[in-house]
Amino acid sequence: MADESKKASSFLKVDWNGLTSEAVGPAGLSPDDLASLKGPLAAALKDVWNQRKKGKLAFWDLSADRRLAQESKKLAAWGRKKFQDAVVLGIGGSALGASAIFTALKPLNHNRLSDKKRGWPRLWVADNVDPEGFAALLETLDPETTIFNVISKSGATAETMSQFMIAYDWLRKRLKKPTLADHLLVTTDPESGVLRKIVEAKGLLAWPVPQAVGGRFSVLSAVGLVPLALVGVDVAGLLEGAAAAAADGLKPPASNKAAILAGLNWLMAAKKGRGSLVLVPYADSLAKVADWFNQLWNESLGKAHKLDGSPNQAGQTALKALGVTDQHSQLQTWMEGPQDKTVMFLGVEEFRTDLTIPAIFKEYEALAYLGGQTLGSLLASELKGTAQALTENGRPNLSLSLPAVTPQAVGYLIQTLEMATAISGSLYGVDPLDQPGVELGKKFTYGLMGRAGFDDFLSRYEQGSRARKKYILP
Amino acid sequence: MADESKKASSFLKVDWNGLTSEAVGPAGLSPDDLASLKGPLAAALKDVWNQRKKGKLAFWDLSADRRLAQESKKLAAWGRKKFQDAVVLGIGGSALGASAIFTALKPLNHNRLSDKKRGWPRLWVADNVDPEGFAALLETLDPETTIFNVISKSGATAETMSQFMIAYDWLRKRLKKPTLADHLLVTTDPESGVLRKIVEAKGLLAWPVPQAVGGRFSVLSAVGLVPLALVGVDVAGLLEGAAAAAADGLKPPASNKAAILAGLNWLMAAKKGRGSLVLVPYADSLAKVADWFNQLWNESLGKAHKLDGSPNQAGQTALKALGVTDQHSQLQTWMEGPQDKTVMFLGVEEFRTDLTIPAIFKEYEALAYLGGQTLGSLLASELKGTAQALTENGRPNLSLSLPAVTPQAVGYLIQTLEMATAISGSLYGVDPLDQPGVELGKKFTYGLMGRAGFDDFLSRYEQGSRARKKYILP
């Protein structure tokens, strides 16, 4: 056990020197600030551990159930022989996790490789209802070798169900034999909802979304693991890393990475006015982890009210970026723009492949230093240089790093960020599991689309619309 | 002329009802606020027009020179016969514009279509130095049918030049005949810099970056037009739209869309504490316009100092999102999170293709309303519903919309946002054309990479590094 936890702790390094006043001056956390964190953080951890015991944070222990890994492996072996394309129909929490982990763990050109080189189906995550985008995807698919995985817990998500209805019809009209059930996998609530009814009526293959797990915390359930297994991701390795993190989440605050990430960012937001948190992976493979984290942090912590009903004055918006690319796009504003951000780097110590810059053009000073070095070392130097520049400029920053992008390390990272989000919820005093702010817009959409029972919202929209004629340049 | 300006004005609609206190209450702009804008906005416009006359804002008139459109068309006709892949090697302003317009104006599956259906080379924009990403790209290219367009104004951009050196060597070793000059197009300063010297030494084909045009304002120069022409984008149409916008930028403030966008967002930042501006296109085709705008706005306006040397207290950070996708990710925080954002929608009135949701599953109330409607109408309803929900919730928002994603409308949009950025610079009193905050990080990178003359920065980094040992969990 001692050995395992030792190994586990090396999946993720957390370095927050750049958040301290010693490093960045007044924008940073003083020793007193850091000391002030101890009480609240211990209390938040206790609160979260308690909620977990009561079954409210079921995401915490998804990795304990390895049956899913075994079952999805069987599914994958079946699918590998039959399909060249796997398409997730899902949005938000039903899409972002699979997308992030697919990008992290499969070759970055996976979808472009020949069938033979690829060895597994391509993966497409259709998470918008743009007709041009969805039509462009369907155009390149062969129904005979395509499997759709439709994911919606409620079975009523307008976007996903619209895609599902189109895909259903598309398969029905194009398949040579009427074997729809072989081309549709459903991931939904195990008992209730429209999709569950359709599964039963049509005899479709279905996987459950565990009941106490919300969309944005669901990637390590069937929601993420089924599509990932279908394209050959090592889901057992992912769960192994996640399990190590889940165990580390039970450690005392000072050695608990999830707690430290939650506590530090909460201090920066609540005490230092840093209402934005930029996550900047320095690896193409981790680019979409920032998208996934964006939802996790923003939906969980962007709340108008605390649990006790009082207004929530603090909060933090997650922003996404990619290193080094965004040094040429966003860095200027991190360095000199509004003093409202913490920058959180996410680095990788060793790439799975590297490229050496050839020692040519030695006659030009501006190029000579590059020859013979690797792109990996350039990327690493840029991360270090940028962090140092932010620090010297008094701009708070912290750094996460993975030893390498392995299934274990990615599982550890995902699980740690999920736990950090739950702990943050407790520190802010908000419910990290709900998203009340998205409901009103849905109701207006239903009204505009003519759904029964939403006429009032149509009228309300039209009334608002009439009032909005004044300030327009056509 | 009257007719042309009438047509032009319909390329972009601007609706800012949702920014007013009438719509969103105290978070919005009161009639007094709006009245207070008149003086500063008139002065800023005058200032910008003056700078333009002095040749400092050369981007304004790029569309006046149509020779480039003709020449790039010739290049495209040549390239179309020879190449299946065109690769941009560039970063920041050398990458984002082409990427945005390519995504807007070519089919969303362009790179996946068969050679015959596609009719033009695929386009890849390599804007990072991640070794895994760049190796994955090279792996799928055939050197015989690949053309690289290396873009760097200075010719010293470490990232782009590293890619260039690798690509140069890759071609040299793999081409059957040593015809490198046929596979390398260079876009760089017309007179100075390392790349210009290499062009001359190696006899490469080169295009100029106009001297008074900075990277992020350069998409309508050879920087963007050459790669776009190579893949069959109608660059003449783009320039036509841009020219209409350039003319509209000379109108008085009240009918000048660029000025209105600049003025309103400046008021929201400077008077209403809205330090973030979220751009949310509701179209997959416009997703990357948000990335391009991100650089434009952030590098131009995120400045520590005003032109007079005094500290710049205001500023605004651009955030990117995509509708409807991010309703399931970011909307919660726009509705209930920190009161620091303005949301700017970017809609499309008519899609180039639409998909009808089949009228199936009528027996389920939660799905019945969808059948028979189109994805396009769902997307449009979601935009309207989300804007109405934000408005009712007192969250300021404004809406841009294009009649359709045509070359003309995209050119108009791009040009308008560039002019708005320049006008904003004047309102904030900052230089919108420089980016001093990115230099320090580069110097540390040079130091770490062993470039001659940057030893001091290596020592300074190491000293900083030694001090940063205290707050780490390994």
Side-chain angles (χ1 to χ4, degrees), chain A residues 223-262:
Chain A
V223 170
L225 298 187
V226 166
L228 290 168
L230 275 175
V231 298
V233 167
D234 172 8
V235 299
L238 263 180
L239 293 179
E240 196 188 308
D248 284 355
L250 301 176
K251 289 183 176 173
S255 55
N256 184 320
K257 289 166 189 173
I260 282 168
L261 287 174

Side-chain angles (χ1 to χ4, degrees), chain A residues 420-434:
Chain A
T421 304
I423 299 163
S424 300
S426 187
L427 285 164
Y428 286 106
V430 302
D431 182 352
L433 304 180
D434 68 357

Side-chain angles (χ1 to χ4, degrees), chain A residues 277-341:
Chain A
L277 175 62
V278 193
L279 179 60
V280 201
Y282 267 66
D284 288 352
S285 62
L286 299 176
K288 285 181 182 290
V289 168
D291 290 70
W292 168 82
F293 179 72
N294 206 275
Q295 183 202 16
L296 183 69
W297 206 249
N298 287 331
E299 283 200 341
S300 301
L301 306 178
K303 299 292 157 71
H305 296 97
K306 298 191 184 193
L307 281 165
D308 63 11
S310 66
N312 176 32
Q313 307 291 355
Q316 203 174 43
T317 304
L319 275 56
K320 50 195 171 187
L322 176 65
V324 304
T325 305
D326 282 315
Q327 288 178 208
H328 293 259
S329 168
Q330 301 191 39
L331 176 58
Q332 172 67 34
T333 197
W334 306 339
M335 285 287 282
E336 296 201 356
Q339 289 271 12
D340 57 3
K341 295 172 201 70

Side-chain angles (χ1 to χ4, degrees), chain B residues 16 43 90 94 118 158 167 179 208 242 249 252 262 268-269 300 318 336 361 418 425 440 455 474:
Chain B
W16 66 99
S94 300
R118 205 174 59 240
T179 53
M268 293 307 296
S300 301
E336 296 201 355
F361 301 128
E418 288 181 358
L440 183 58
D455 305 357

Side-chain angles (χ1 to χ4, degrees), chain A residues 373 388 392 449 460 468, chain B residues 388 392 449 460 468:
Chain A
Q373 309 216 47
Q388 178 70 18
E392 288 198 8
M449 292 292 283
R460 208 161 120 187
R468 287 192 306 271
Chain B
Q388 177 71 16
E392 288 198 9
M449 292 292 285
R460 208 160 120 188
R468 286 192 307 270

Side-chain angles (χ1 to χ4, degrees), chain A residues 369-390:
Chain A
Y369 72 103
L370 293 168
Q373 309 216 47
T374 66
L375 284 193
S377 70
L378 177 59
L379 198 60
S381 299
E382 301 231 26
L383 194 172
K384 287 178 190 166
T386 303
Q388 178 70 18
L390 283 169

Side-chain angles (χ1 to χ4, degrees), chain B residues 163-429:
Chain B
Q163 294 176 322
F164 169 66
M165 289 159 79
I166 291 171
Y168 188 94
D169 199 50
W170 182 86
L171 284 170
R172 199 171 55 169
K173 289 184 176 148
R174 280 169 182 77
L175 283 175
K176 285 176 205 138
K177 290 182 198 166
T179 53
L180 260 72
D182 281 355
H183 296 265
L184 282 167
L185 281 182
V186 175
T187 308
T188 190
D189 189 280
E191 289 171 14
S192 63
V194 179
L195 255 177
R196 178 57 55 184
K197 284 184 193 147
I198 293 175
V199 162
E200 282 157 20
K202 304 287 175 186
L204 302 180
L205 197 55
W207 299 74
V209 185
Q211 285 185 307
V213 176
R216 59 188 176 272
F217 292 91
S218 70
V219 59
L220 299 175
S221 76
V223 171
L225 298 186
V226 166
L228 289 168
L230 275 175
V231 298
V233 167
D234 172 9
V235 299
L238 263 181
L239 293 179
E240 195 188 310
D248 285 354
L250 301 176
K251 289 183 175 172
S255 55
N256 185 320
K257 288 166 190 173
I260 282 168
L261 287 174
L264 293 169
N265 284 310
W266 171 72
L267 275 185
M268 293 307 296
K271 289 213 172 178
K272 296 286 174 181
R274 301 274 155 174
S276 296
L277 175 63
V278 193
L279 179 60
V280 201
Y282 268 66
D284 287 351
S285 62
L286 299 176
K288 285 182 181 288
V289 169
D291 290 71
W292 167 82
F293 178 72
N294 205 275
Q295 181 202 18
L296 183 69
W297 206 250
N298 287 333
E299 283 200 342
S300 301
L301 306 179
K303 299 292 158 67
H305 295 98
K306 298 191 185 193
L307 281 165
D308 64 12
S310 65
N312 176 32
Q313 307 290 355
Q316 202 175 44
T317 303
L319 276 57
K320 51 194 172 188
L322 176 65
V324 304
T325 306
D326 282 315
Q327 290 178 207
H328 294 259
S329 168
Q330 301 191 39
L331 176 58
Q332 173 67 35
T333 197
W334 305 340
M335 284 287 282
E336 296 201 355
Q339 289 272 12
D340 58 2
K341 295 172 201 71
T342 300
V343 176
M344 184 157 79
F345 294 101
L346 173 58
V348 173
E349 290 179 20
E350 199 161 328
F351 289 93
R352 289 162 289 189
T353 202
D354 210 341
L355 286 174
T356 300
I357 306 166
I360 54 177
F361 301 128
K362 283 278 180 199
E363 60 274 35
Y364 304 110
E365 182 279 326
L367 307 184
Y369 72 102
L370 294 168
Q373 309 215 49
T374 66
L375 284 193
S377 70
L378 176 59
L379 198 60
S381 298
E382 302 231 26
L383 195 172
K384 288 179 189 167
T386 303
Q388 177 71 16
L390 284 168
T391 303
E392 288 198 9
N393 211 28
R395 299 282 175 148
N397 62 93
L398 73 166
S399 296
L400 312 183
S401 78
L402 309 184
V405 182
T406 61
Q408 288 77 8
V410 170
Y412 192 95
L413 174 70
I414 292 281
Q415 176 78 25
T416 301
L417 293 173
E418 288 181 358
M419 296 184 302
T421 303
I423 300 163
S424 300
S426 187
L427 285 164
Y428 286 106

